[in-house]
Amino acid sequence: MLIWAEATESDYLLCPLLSAPRTAGIDPRSLIDKLSRTLTPDHRKGARLELLHRIADYASTLGMQCDKRHGTTANEIVRRGGSLGRVAEAAAAPTP
């Protein structure tokens, strides 16, 4: 969800992965609480901070590759119903 949020420049609460538990009748609040805590300044230390930096770097690279190779942004792919997997596939595909 954090990679999705970074790549699409969206709020992680809007991530399509959160709709699946809701559709299945599972309350995603526990997951949301854990993610929220990870993103608070008090918890942005050590390994968590390093992980957040790596996620941001990966998502940035993924987004730039989509833009460069296909003239489309990760956000556009997701808006058209694609997944982060589709974003990665688009970024990895050879330039037409």
Side-chain angles (χ1 to χ4, degrees):
M1 285 187 282
L2 295 176
I3 295 170
W4 178 89
E6 287 283 337
T8 61
E9 299 176 0
S10 297
D11 189 310
Y12 71 92
L13 294 172
L14 301 175
C15 180
L17 292 173
L18 286 176
S19 63
R22 288 183 187 123
T23 303
I26 300 168
D27 188 359
R29 277 185 276 187
S30 174
L31 177 58
I32 292 170
D33 288 343
K34 289 176 185 174
L35 281 172
S36 297
R37 269 186 258 126
T38 298
L39 297 173
T40 61
D42 287 345
H43 288 94
R44 288 180 172 237
K45 299 174 186 167
R48 283 187 182 148
L49 182 61
E50 178 64 26
L51 177 62
L52 292 173
H53 284 293
R54 288 181 182 206
I55 288 171
D57 289 345
Y58 174 74
S60 175
T61 301
L62 189 61
M64 287 189 300
Q65 288 176 347
C66 283
D67 294 347
K68 185 192 300 183
R69 292 178 185 229
H70 303 283
T72 186
T73 65
N75 199 20
E76 290 169 341
I77 292 171
V78 172
R79 258 188 303 174
R80 287 188 243 140
S83 65
L84 190 58
R86 277 291 298 135
V87 172
E89 288 170 14
T95 306

